[in-house]
């Protein structure tokens, strides 16, 4: 069964600190993996997309990694800001129309 | 970047009312549109997938007569919640995608509250 798991379920950090969110998947075949940021009451916004051959991709303070062999991805947030408080969702796509969503990690950045 | 507009952003109505939600792709042709439902502190749950000009494919447990989906053009899909009841209150999000393999872009959601 195609599944995406994320950890931790929730995370609280102080402003300025770094954090890493994890995503494990069993989706096959694999086309790409995206990390989305969803602010409360808003739709998800794409942060990064990674294909099979990519190991690392950065978008400002966000850096995603992908290990296609172990089927794991991580999202590292550097120098966190209050505006980073949101849910971060890992979504894996096969070559068809199947997008498998992880349950998300709820990040709270405190001043 | 690709923009998906969803309207209205918030609806409050009485039980028994039918509510229509629109999802538009503003700067690309959306071959496929997806409709999701999201409960508080949970991830998105796919309700249905619609391809332009075809009938929508509903996920197991989603009533097609309750949630009517129309995808009549490459830029517009609508979701109609018929005879809405309080248990239909939720956050509904659409997304749109161009060709197969392309990423999906999300609207900002519609918060539906049925009194």
């Amino acid at each position: 069964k195609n599944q995406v798991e994320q950890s931790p379920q929730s995370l609280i950090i102080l402003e300025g600190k770094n954090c890493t969110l994890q995503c494990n998947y069993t989706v096959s075949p694999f086309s790409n993996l995206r990390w989305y940021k969803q602010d409360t009451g808003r739709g998800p916004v794409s942060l990064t997309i990674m294909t099979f051959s990519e190991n690392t991709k950065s978008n400002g303070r966000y850096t995603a990694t992908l290990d296609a062999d172990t089927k794991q991805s991580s999202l590292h947030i550097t120098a966190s800001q209050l505006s980073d408080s949101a849910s971060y969702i890992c979504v894996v796509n096969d070559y068809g129309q199947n997008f498998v969503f992880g349950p998300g990690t709820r990040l709270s950045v405190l001043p | 970047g690709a923009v998906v507009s969803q309207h209205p952003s918030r609806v409050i109505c009485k039980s028994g009312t039918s509510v229509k939600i629109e999802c538009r792709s503003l700067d690309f042709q959306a071959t496929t549109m997806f409709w999701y439902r999201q409960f508080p502190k949970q991830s998105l749950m796919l309700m249905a997938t619609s391809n332009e000009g075809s009938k929508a494919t509903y996920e197991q447990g989603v009533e097609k007569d309750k949630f009517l989906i129309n995808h009549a053009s490459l830029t517009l899909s609508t979701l109609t919640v018929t005879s809405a009841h309080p248990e239909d209150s939720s956050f509904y999000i659409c997304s749109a995608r161009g060709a197969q393999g392309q990423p999906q872009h999300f609207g900002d959601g519609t918060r539906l509250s049925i009194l």
Side-chain angles (χ1 to χ4, degrees), chain A residues 31-32 34 36 38 40-46 49 89 91 93-99 101-104 106, chain B residues 32 34 36 38 40-44 46 49-51 91 93 97 100-109 111:
Chain A
S31 174
N32 59 73
R34 270 187 179 254
Y36 287 88
Q38 185 180 22
T40 301
R42 303 293 297 274
V45 174
S46 179
I49 179 170
I89 304 171
V91 183
N93 177 215
D94 64 15
Y95 285 101
Q97 294 190 146
N98 295 316
F99 294 85
F101 284 70
R106 182 170 294 275
Chain B
T32 306
F34 305 85
Y36 297 87
Q38 186 176 32
K41 298 186 179 180
Q42 295 187 22
S43 193
L44 285 72
L46 181 65
T49 302
S50 72
N51 292 299
F91 192 52
I93 304 176
R97 188 195 68 185
Q100 188 160 312
Q102 293 295 308
Q104 51 179 321
H105 303 279
F106 290 86
D108 257 347
R111 182 158 301 284

Coordinates of all heavy atoms in Angstrom, one line a residue, chain A residues 31-32 34 36 38 40-46 49 89 91 93-99 101-104 106, chain B residues 32 34 36 38 40-44 46 49-51 91 93 97 100-109 111:
Chain A
S31 N 7.8 9.1 -8.8 CA 8.1 10.2 -9.8 C 8.8 11.4 -9.2 O 9.8 11.8 -9.6 CB 6.8 10.6 -10.5 OG 7.1 11.7 -11.4
N32 N 8.1 11.9 -8.2 CA 8.7 13.1 -7.5 C 8.1 13.2 -6.1 O 7.1 12.6 -5.7 CB 8.5 14.4 -8.3 CG 7.0 14.7 -8.5 OD1 6.3 15.0 -7.6 ND2 6.5 14.5 -9.7
R34 N 7.4 16.3 -3.1 CA 7.2 17.7 -2.9 C 7.0 18.0 -1.4 O 6.3 17.2 -0.7 CB 6.1 18.3 -3.6 CG 6.4 18.8 -5.0 CD 5.3 19.5 -5.7 NE 5.6 20.0 -7.0 CZ 5.9 21.3 -7.3 NH1 5.8 22.2 -6.3 NH2 6.2 21.6 -8.5
Y36 N 5.4 20.8 1.0 CA 4.5 22.0 1.0 C 4.4 22.6 2.3 O 4.5 21.9 3.4 CB 3.0 21.6 0.6 CG 2.8 21.2 -0.9 CD1 3.0 19.9 -1.3 CD2 2.4 22.2 -1.8 CE1 2.8 19.6 -2.6 CE2 2.1 21.8 -3.1 CZ 2.3 20.5 -3.5 OH 2.1 20.2 -4.8
Q38 N 1.8 24.7 4.6 CA 0.4 25.2 4.7 C 0.1 26.0 6.0 O 0.2 25.5 7.1 CB -0.6 24.0 4.7 CG -2.1 24.4 4.7 CD -3.0 23.2 4.7 OE1 -2.7 22.1 5.1 NE2 -4.2 23.5 4.2
T40 N -2.2 28.2 8.5 CA -3.6 27.9 9.0 C -4.6 28.6 8.1 O -4.5 29.8 7.9 CB -3.7 28.3 10.4 OG1 -2.8 27.6 11.2 CG2 -5.1 28.0 11.0
G41 N -5.6 27.9 7.6 CA -6.7 28.5 6.9 C -6.3 28.8 5.4 O -7.1 29.6 4.8
R42 N -5.2 28.3 5.0 CA -4.8 28.6 3.6 C -4.5 27.3 2.9 O -4.4 26.2 3.5 CB -3.5 29.5 3.6 CG -3.6 30.8 4.3 CD -4.5 31.7 3.7 NE -4.1 32.1 2.4 CZ -3.3 33.1 2.1 NH1 -2.7 33.8 3.1 NH2 -3.0 33.5 0.9
G43 N -4.3 27.4 1.6 CA -4.0 26.2 0.8 C -2.5 25.9 0.9 O -1.7 26.8 1.2
P44 N -2.0 24.7 0.6 CA -0.6 24.4 0.6 C 0.1 25.2 -0.5 O -0.4 25.4 -1.6 CB -0.6 22.9 0.4 CG -1.9 22.4 0.7 CD -2.9 23.5 0.3
V45 N 1.4 25.5 -0.1 CA 2.2 26.2 -1.1 C 3.5 25.4 -1.2 O 4.1 25.0 -0.3 CB 2.6 27.6 -0.6 CG1 3.6 28.3 -1.5 CG2 1.3 28.5 -0.5
S46 N 3.9 25.1 -2.5 CA 5.1 24.3 -2.7 C 6.4 25.0 -2.3 O 6.6 26.1 -2.6 CB 5.1 24.0 -4.2 OG 6.3 23.2 -4.5
I49 N 10.6 20.6 -4.9 CA 10.2 19.4 -5.6 C 11.5 18.6 -6.0 O 12.5 19.2 -6.4 CB 9.4 19.6 -6.9 CG1 9.0 18.3 -7.6 CG2 10.1 20.6 -7.9 CD1 8.0 18.4 -8.7
I89 N 3.9 19.5 4.7 CA 3.3 18.3 4.2 C 4.2 17.8 3.1 O 4.6 18.5 2.2 CB 1.9 18.6 3.6 CG1 1.0 19.2 4.7 CG2 1.3 17.3 3.1 CD1 -0.3 19.7 4.1
V91 N 4.5 15.2 0.0 CA 3.6 14.6 -1.0 C 4.4 13.9 -2.0 O 5.3 14.4 -2.6 CB 2.7 15.6 -1.7 CG1 1.7 15.0 -2.6 CG2 1.9 16.5 -0.6
N93 N 4.4 11.6 -5.5 CA 3.7 11.4 -6.8 C 4.2 10.2 -7.5 O 5.5 10.1 -7.7 CB 3.7 12.7 -7.6 CG 3.0 12.6 -8.9 OD1 3.5 13.2 -9.9 ND2 1.9 11.9 -9.0
D94 N 3.3 9.4 -8.0 CA 3.8 8.3 -8.9 C 3.7 8.9 -10.4 O 3.5 10.1 -10.5 CB 3.1 7.0 -8.8 CG 1.6 7.2 -9.1 OD1 1.2 8.1 -9.7 OD2 0.8 6.2 -8.7
Y95 N 3.8 8.1 -11.4 CA 3.8 8.6 -12.7 C 2.4 8.9 -13.2 O 2.2 9.4 -14.3 CB 4.6 7.7 -13.7 CG 6.1 7.8 -13.5 CD1 6.8 6.8 -12.8 CD2 6.8 8.8 -14.0 CE1 8.1 6.9 -12.6 CE2 8.2 8.9 -13.9 CZ 8.8 7.9 -13.2 OH 10.2 8.0 -13.0
G96 N 1.4 8.5 -12.4 CA 0.1 8.8 -12.8 C -0.5 10.0 -12.1 O 0.1 11.0 -11.9
Q97 N -1.8 9.8 -11.7 CA -2.5 10.9 -11.0 C -2.5 10.7 -9.5 O -3.2 11.4 -8.8 CB -3.9 11.1 -11.6 CG -4.0 11.5 -13.0 CD -5.4 11.8 -13.4 OE1 -5.6 12.7 -14.2 NE2 -6.4 11.1 -12.9
N98 N -1.7 9.8 -9.0 CA -1.8 9.5 -7.6 C -0.8 10.4 -6.9 O 0.4 10.3 -7.1 CB -1.4 8.0 -7.4 CG -2.5 7.1 -7.9 OD1 -3.7 7.4 -7.8 ND2 -2.0 6.1 -8.6
F99 N -1.3 11.2 -6.0 CA -0.5 12.0 -5.1 C -0.8 11.5 -3.7 O -1.9 11.6 -3.2 CB -0.9 13.5 -5.2 CG -0.5 14.1 -6.5 CD1 -1.4 14.0 -7.6 CD2 0.7 14.8 -6.7 CE1 -1.1 14.6 -8.8 CE2 1.0 15.4 -7.9 CZ 0.1 15.3 -9.0
F101 N -0.4 11.9 0.2 CA -0.1 12.9 1.2 C 0.3 12.4 2.5 O -0.3 11.4 3.0 CB -1.3 13.8 1.4 CG -1.6 14.8 0.3 CD1 -2.1 14.4 -0.9 CD2 -1.4 16.1 0.5 CE1 -2.3 15.3 -1.9 CE2 -1.7 17.1 -0.5 CZ -2.2 16.6 -1.7
G102 N 1.4 12.9 3.1 CA 1.7 12.6 4.5 C 0.7 13.4 5.4 O 0.0 14.3 5.0
P103 N 0.7 13.0 6.7 CA -0.2 13.6 7.6 C 0.3 15.0 8.0 O -0.5 15.8 8.6 CB -0.1 12.7 8.8 CG 1.2 12.0 8.7 CD 1.5 11.9 7.3
G104 N 1.5 15.4 7.7 CA 2.0 16.7 8.0 C 2.7 16.8 9.4 O 2.5 16.0 10.3
R106 N 3.3 19.7 12.3 CA 2.9 21.1 12.7 C 4.0 21.7 13.4 O 4.4 21.3 14.5 CB 1.6 21.0 13.5 CG 1.1 22.3 14.0 CD -0.3 22.2 14.6 NE -1.3 21.7 13.7 CZ -1.9 22.5 12.9 NH1 -1.7 23.8 12.9 NH2 -2.8 22.1 12.0
Chain B
T32 N -6.3 18.4 -15.2 CA -6.8 17.7 -14.1 C -7.0 18.6 -12.9 O -6.1 19.4 -12.6 CB -5.9 16.5 -13.7 OG1 -5.6 15.7 -14.8 CG2 -6.5 15.7 -12.6
F34 N -8.3 18.5 -8.7 CA -8.5 17.6 -7.5 C -9.3 18.4 -6.5 O -9.0 19.6 -6.3 CB -7.1 17.2 -6.9 CG -6.2 16.5 -7.9 CD1 -5.4 17.3 -8.7 CD2 -6.2 15.1 -8.0 CE1 -4.5 16.7 -9.6 CE2 -5.3 14.5 -8.9 CZ -4.4 15.3 -9.7
Y36 N -10.2 18.4 -2.4 CA -9.8 17.8 -1.1 C -10.7 18.4 0.0 O -11.3 19.4 -0.1 CB -8.3 18.2 -0.8 CG -7.3 17.6 -1.7 CD1 -7.0 18.3 -2.9 CD2 -6.7 16.4 -1.4 CE1 -6.0 17.8 -3.7 CE2 -5.7 15.9 -2.3 CZ -5.4 16.6 -3.4 OH -4.4 16.1 -4.3
Q38 N -10.4 18.9 4.3 CA -9.5 18.9 5.4 C -10.2 19.2 6.7 O -10.7 20.3 6.8 CB -8.3 19.9 5.1 CG -7.2 19.8 6.1 CD -6.1 20.7 5.8 OE1 -6.2 21.8 5.2 NE2 -4.8 20.3 6.1
P40 N -9.8 19.9 10.9 CA -8.8 20.6 11.7 C -7.7 19.7 12.2 O -7.9 18.6 12.6 CB -9.6 21.1 12.9 CG -11.0 21.2 12.4 CD -11.2 20.1 11.4
K41 N -6.5 20.2 12.0 CA -5.2 19.5 12.4 C -5.0 18.2 11.7 O -4.3 17.3 12.2 CB -5.2 19.3 13.9 CG -5.2 20.7 14.7 CD -5.1 20.5 16.2 CE -5.1 21.8 16.9 NZ -4.9 21.7 18.4
Q42 N -5.7 18.0 10.6 CA -5.5 16.8 9.8 C -5.0 17.2 8.4 O -5.1 18.3 8.0 CB -6.7 15.9 9.7 CG -7.2 15.4 11.0 CD -8.4 14.5 10.9 OE1 -8.6 13.9 9.8 NE2 -9.1 14.3 11.9
S43 N -4.4 16.2 7.7 CA -4.0 16.5 6.4 C -5.1 16.4 5.4 O -6.2 16.1 5.7 CB -2.9 15.4 5.9 OG -2.2 15.9 4.8
L44 N -4.8 16.8 4.1 CA -5.8 16.8 3.1 C -6.3 15.4 2.7 O -5.5 14.5 2.6 CB -5.3 17.5 1.8 CG -5.1 19.0 1.9 CD1 -4.0 19.4 2.7 CD2 -4.9 19.5 0.4
L46 N -8.3 13.4 -0.2 CA -8.7 13.5 -1.6 C -10.2 13.0 -1.7 O -10.5 11.9 -1.2 CB -7.9 12.7 -2.5 CG -8.2 12.7 -4.0 CD1 -8.1 14.1 -4.6 CD2 -7.4 11.7 -4.8
T49 N -11.2 13.3 -8.3 CA -10.3 13.8 -9.3 C -11.1 14.0 -10.6 O -11.9 13.1 -11.0 CB -9.2 12.7 -9.6 OG1 -8.4 12.5 -8.4 CG2 -8.2 13.2 -10.7
S50 N -10.9 15.1 -11.2 CA -11.7 15.4 -12.4 C -10.8 15.8 -13.6 O -9.9 16.6 -13.4 CB -12.8 16.4 -12.2 OG -12.2 17.7 -12.1
N51 N -11.0 15.2 -14.7 CA -10.3 15.6 -15.9 C -11.3 16.3 -16.8 O -12.5 16.0 -16.9 CB -9.8 14.3 -16.7 CG -8.7 13.6 -15.9 OD1 -7.7 14.2 -15.7 ND2 -8.9 12.4 -15.5
F91 N -13.1 22.3 5.6 CA -12.2 23.2 4.7 C -12.1 22.4 3.4 O -11.5 21.3 3.4 CB -10.9 23.4 5.5 CG -10.1 24.5 4.8 CD1 -10.6 25.8 4.6 CD2 -8.7 24.3 4.5 CE1 -9.8 26.8 4.0 CE2 -7.9 25.3 4.0 CZ -8.5 26.5 3.7
I93 N -10.5 22.2 -0.3 CA -9.3 22.8 -1.1 C -9.3 22.1 -2.5 O -9.4 20.9 -2.6 CB -8.0 22.6 -0.4 CG1 -8.0 23.1 1.0 CG2 -6.9 23.2 -1.2 CD1 -6.7 22.8 1.8
R97 N -3.7 20.8 -12.1 CA -2.4 20.4 -12.7 C -2.6 20.4 -14.2 O -3.6 20.2 -14.8 CB -2.2 19.0 -12.2 CG -0.8 18.4 -12.6 CD -0.7 17.0 -12.5 NE -1.6 16.3 -13.4 CZ -1.8 15.0 -13.4 NH1 -1.2 14.2 -12.5 NH2 -2.5 14.4 -14.3
Q100 N 0.1 15.4 -17.4 CA 0.5 14.4 -16.4 C 2.0 14.5 -16.1 O 2.8 14.7 -16.9 CB 0.2 13.0 -17.0 CG 0.4 11.8 -16.0 CD -0.4 10.6 -16.5 OE1 -1.5 10.7 -16.9 NE2 0.3 9.5 -16.5
G101 N 2.3 14.3 -14.8 CA 3.6 14.5 -14.3 C 4.0 15.9 -13.8 O 5.0 16.1 -13.2
Q102 N 3.1 16.8 -14.2 CA 3.3 18.2 -13.7 C 2.8 18.3 -12.3 O 1.9 17.6 -11.8 CB 2.6 19.2 -14.6 CG 3.1 19.3 -16.0 CD 4.5 19.8 -16.0 OE1 4.8 20.9 -15.4 NE2 5.4 19.1 -16.7
P103 N 3.4 19.2 -11.5 CA 2.9 19.4 -10.1 C 1.5 20.0 -10.0 O 1.1 20.6 -11.0 CB 4.0 20.3 -9.5 CG 4.5 21.1 -10.7 CD 4.4 20.2 -11.8
Q104 N 0.9 19.8 -8.9 CA -0.4 20.4 -8.7 C -0.2 21.7 -7.9 O 0.6 21.8 -7.0 CB -1.4 19.4 -8.0 CG -0.9 18.8 -6.8 CD -1.9 17.9 -6.2 OE1 -3.1 18.2 -6.1 NE2 -1.5 16.7 -5.6
H105 N -1.1 22.6 -8.2 CA -1.1 23.9 -7.5 C -2.4 24.1 -6.8 O -3.4 23.9 -7.4 CB -0.8 25.0 -8.6 CG 0.4 24.8 -9.4 ND1 1.7 25.2 -8.9 CD2 0.6 24.3 -10.6 CE1 2.6 24.9 -9.8 NE2 2.0 24.4 -10.8
F106 N -2.3 24.5 -5.6 CA -3.5 24.6 -4.7 C -4.1 25.9 -4.7 O -3.5 27.0 -4.7 CB -3.1 24.1 -3.3 CG -2.8 22.7 -3.2 CD1 -1.5 22.2 -3.4 CD2 -3.7 21.8 -2.8 CE1 -1.2 20.9 -3.3 CE2 -3.4 20.4 -2.7 CZ -2.1 20.0 -3.0
G107 N -5.5 25.9 -4.5 CA -6.2 27.1 -4.2 C -6.1 27.4 -2.7 O -5.4 26.6 -2.0
D108 N -6.6 28.5 -2.3 CA -6.5 28.9 -0.9 C -7.6 28.3 0.0 O -7.7 28.6 1.2 CB -6.5 30.4 -0.7 CG -5.1 30.9 -0.5 OD1 -4.2 30.1 -0.2 OD2 -4.8 32.1 -0.6
G109 N -8.5 27.5 -0.6 CA -9.4 26.8 0.3 C -10.7 27.6 0.5 O -10.8 28.8 0.3
R111 N -13.7 27.7 3.4 CA -14.2 27.2 4.7 C -15.7 27.2 4.7 O -16.3 28.3 4.6 CB -13.7 28.1 5.9 CG -14.1 27.5 7.2 CD -13.2 28.0 8.4 NE -11.8 27.6 8.2 CZ -11.4 26.4 8.4 NH1 -12.2 25.4 8.8 NH2 -10.1 26.1 8.3

